[in-house]
Amino acid sequence: MEKFIERLNKIHIAISGVFLAIFFVVVVLQVICRIIGIAVIWTEDITMYSFIWSVFLGASAMIYPERHFAFTSLNEHIKSPLSKAILHLCIMCLMFIFMVLLLKYGIFITRKFWNYRCTALPQLKRGWTWLCLPVSGACGCIYLLQKIAADIKKICKGGTN
């Protein structure tokens, strides 16, 4: 299971990177087009949607290597390995609740806005933009379930690996 999650995380980060690259390329194209006086209206939609995908995928992908935001001041004051493991479990559980809500309401929003159309690209449905929410929530849940299971094993061993 660990290898599956590692592969999923690598793919997840790669896809997030692709969306970030699309964002940068289209922004550069947009700047060049404005300088030479060509109106390319679709670039605004593509930059916005690719940035949204990159941010949401990147944020949930950082859960697995634990490079997301953290409050280290409390953890630094705790000396007991068992207490640290319990604190880590509590944080992972709170994050899991957030990811479940992101998944649930992401599905709701995606369904609600699926058939809305983009202004500059009417052939593109806005549902594709909102789809990043349930995808990020589902991947975050997978990563957090693995972290929670590891924390529970660690706590059962008294806080040591």
Side-chain angles (χ1 to χ4, degrees):
M1 186 68 167
E2 183 76 25
K3 288 186 180 194
F4 166 75
I5 293 175
E6 283 180 22
R7 283 189 204 133
L8 176 65
N9 189 251
K10 286 180 182 179
I11 293 168
H12 196 159
I13 291 171
I15 293 171
S16 178
V18 167
F19 278 110
L20 190 60
I22 291 169
F23 169 77
F24 283 124
V25 167
V26 175
V27 165
V28 168
L29 175 68
Q30 186 178 28
V31 169
I32 291 169
C33 288
R34 284 186 182 183
I35 289 171
I36 61 176
I38 299 173
V40 186
I41 58 172
W42 58 266
T43 56
E44 290 181 30
D45 285 337
I46 298 300
T47 56
M48 181 173 51
Y49 301 144
S50 62
F51 185 73
I52 290 169
W53 269 89
S54 178
V55 167
F56 276 97
L57 288 179
S60 63
M62 290 297 105
I63 291 171
Y64 179 72
E66 294 194 28
R67 292 191 176 140
H68 50 80
F69 61 90
F71 300 103
T72 57
S73 61
L74 181 59
N75 196 29
E76 290 171 354
H77 288 89
I78 297 174
K79 302 297 181 208
S80 165
L82 180 60
S83 297
K84 283 187 178 195
I86 291 170
L87 176 63
H88 191 265
L89 176 64
C90 291
I91 291 169
M92 294 299 114
C93 288
L94 287 173
M95 289 175 61
F96 182 75
I97 291 167
F98 177 79
M99 285 296 154
V100 167
L101 292 173
L102 183 65
L103 174 62
K104 177 185 175 186
Y105 290 108
I107 291 170
F108 173 77
I109 288 173
T110 301
R111 284 183 177 166
K112 181 172 179 130
F113 295 110
W114 185 259
N115 288 319
Y116 282 47
R117 301 287 178 171
C118 296
T119 308
L121 295 167
Q123 63 272 22
L124 181 64
K125 292 183 179 183
R126 288 215 173 154
W128 289 107
T129 304
W130 294 104
L131 190 61
C132 70
L133 297 176
V135 168
S136 296
C139 289
C141 285
I142 291 169
Y143 301 141
L144 287 165
L145 284 173
Q146 187 270 336
K147 296 286 181 189
I148 290 168
D151 284 345
I152 291 171
K153 285 180 188 175
K154 190 174 185 179
I155 290 169
C156 290
K157 293 180 181 179
T160 58
N161 286 340

